[in-house]
Amino acid sequence: MFMKFNAESISIQNTMYLDKPNEDFYICDNENGIYIILDGVSRDVIEGKYPNPSPAQQVSEIFAIKVQEYLQKELKGNVSDFQTVVKDAMSFGNECISRFNSQGIYSFPPGTVGIILLIRGKNAYFGFIGDCIGKIVSFDNIVTFTKDQTEGVALYRSKYTQQEIRAKICNNPNHPAGYGVLNGTKAALGFIETGHFELSGDKKILLYTDGFEETMDSLSLHQFYNISLKNAEDLAIPKDNKPLDDRTLLIISNME
């Protein structure tokens, strides 16, 4: 039996800099059950200006579109291992980023992090890298199926400069705080994590970038389960002029 799902989405530009574009990118392909959410890794300000167009936004878009195309093609065949297909799609997307990055010279390679979710039948298959958040929500429970790979970096912010964090921790499996970024390097592939879970009629799936994390963490279970795009937008309004990152949320619900 194929469960039909539908996604609602909202993406709000950051309030960091006036000229900083929204570097989040997402795809909601309800027909094929493909859902992608990405958060481009912020760039450095150059001579007082943020790069625009942002290469972080560009690689996020390239990765998402190429992964969607890869999955759509694979789903036309006889697939027996959807979890592996998701990982292979992410590897292919990383290769596409590598080709983009080979054409330019950057202070550090543009990259992105995110979640790929594929719904087939009564199951969801996923892959993630970085610090975007994925949750399974029912009326009486919330389960997080991703993890924040950047959690340990805070321990080194007083020891390393931002440039050293990029060089010594990012995509370094030998560092205790190593975390992954899809930036075209083969080392990134070692940080891709995959899994799957079963679906039921009352479950919703929420995918969001870390700009929404503080807002979502403040919600009760009832608020989480009943969240809509309207109240998500209201909750995302900056308070006390606090600068906020890009905020993107996908609410994936069963249509049966």
Side-chain angles (χ1 to χ4, degrees), residues 8 35 58 62 199 216 222 256:
E8 298 179 289
Y35 303 95
Q58 290 174 301
I62 288 169
L199 296 165
M216 301 301 284
H222 176 77
E256 296 179 353

Side-chain angles (χ1 to χ4, degrees), residues 84-138:
T84 297
V85 167
V86 169
K87 187 170 185 177
D88 290 346
M90 295 181 73
S91 177
F92 175 70
N94 191 58
E95 290 178 17
C96 296
I97 291 177
S98 178
R99 289 196 286 271
F100 174 87
N101 285 346
S102 69
Q103 299 174 16
I105 300 174
Y106 304 98
S107 57
F108 67 100
T112 190
V113 299
I115 307 168
I116 312 300
L117 183 80
L118 175 64
I119 296 178
R120 306 305 291 173
K122 293 186 176 182
N123 293 278
Y125 305 87
F126 64 87
F128 70 88
I129 187 170
D131 58 0
C132 290
I133 301 100
K135 292 185 183 289
I136 310 160
V137 187
S138 59

Side-chain angles (χ1 to χ4, degrees), residues 5-20:
F5 281 77
N6 182 66
E8 298 179 289
S9 58
I10 183 172
S11 189
I12 304 171
Q13 186 173 338
N14 68 88
T15 59
M16 299 289 193
Y17 310 106
L18 291 176
D19 59 347
K20 187 177 189 294

Side-chain angles (χ1 to χ4, degrees), residues 33-256:
I34 300 169
Y35 303 95
I36 302 171
I37 187 167
L38 299 167
D39 182 354
V41 178
S42 294
R43 309 298 298 170
D44 292 329
V45 173
I46 302 174
E47 297 181 354
K49 294 183 178 180
Y50 196 89
N52 194 353
S54 164
Q57 192 281 333
Q58 290 174 301
V59 298
S60 295
E61 184 172 351
I62 288 169
F63 179 87
I65 291 172
K66 292 301 183 181
V67 165
Q68 181 190 28
E69 290 175 352
Y70 184 98
L71 290 173
Q72 287 176 339
K73 181 179 178 180
E74 289 297 309
L75 293 175
K76 292 178 181 178
N78 185 20
V79 179
S80 60
D81 187 347
F82 292 104
Q83 193 167 313
T84 297
V85 167
V86 169
K87 187 170 185 177
D88 290 346
M90 295 181 73
S91 177
F92 175 70
N94 191 58
E95 290 178 17
C96 296
I97 291 177
S98 178
R99 289 196 286 271
F100 174 87
N101 285 346
S102 69
Q103 299 174 16
I105 300 174
Y106 304 98
S107 57
F108 67 100
T112 190
V113 299
I115 307 168
I116 312 300
L117 183 80
L118 175 64
I119 296 178
R120 306 305 291 173
K122 293 186 176 182
N123 293 278
Y125 305 87
F126 64 87
F128 70 88
I129 187 170
D131 58 0
C132 290
I133 301 100
K135 292 185 183 289
I136 310 160
V137 187
S138 59
F139 69 93
D140 62 352
N141 195 27
I142 300 174
V143 176
T144 304
F145 62 88
T146 56
K147 72 177 184 182
D148 182 357
Q149 295 182 343
T150 64
E151 199 170 23
V153 176
L155 299 173
Y156 294 87
R157 293 205 180 276
S158 61
K159 302 176 183 178
Y160 292 167
T161 64
Q162 184 62 42
Q163 288 72 23
E164 287 174 326
I165 288 173
R166 294 167 182 161
K168 296 180 179 181
I169 302 181
C170 178
N171 288 337
N172 182 359
N174 298 317
H175 195 285
Y179 66 94
V181 170
L182 296 160
N183 59 7
T185 62
K186 290 184 179 180
L189 303 181
F191 286 91
I192 294 173
E193 301 186 47
T194 62
H196 77 280
F197 53 87
E198 293 184 359
L199 296 165
S200 62
D202 69 314
K203 289 179 180 176
K204 295 181 180 180
I205 305 168
L206 270 60
L207 309 179
Y208 50 97
T209 57
D210 66 338
F212 249 126
E213 186 172 16
E214 185 175 346
T215 296
M216 301 301 284
D217 283 351
S218 70
L219 302 182
S220 67
L221 174 57
H222 176 77
Q223 290 173 315
F224 224 109
Y225 184 69
N226 291 286
I227 194 165
S228 66
L229 296 188
K230 178 62 175 69
N231 56 31
E233 186 174 10
D234 292 341
L235 289 165
I237 295 173
K239 297 176 177 61
D240 303 320
N241 295 319
K242 179 183 178 181
L244 297 176
D245 199 358
D246 301 320
R247 288 142 287 159
T248 299
L249 169 67
L250 307 187
I251 305 171
I252 306 168
S253 303
N254 185 10
M255 295 298 292
E256 296 179 353

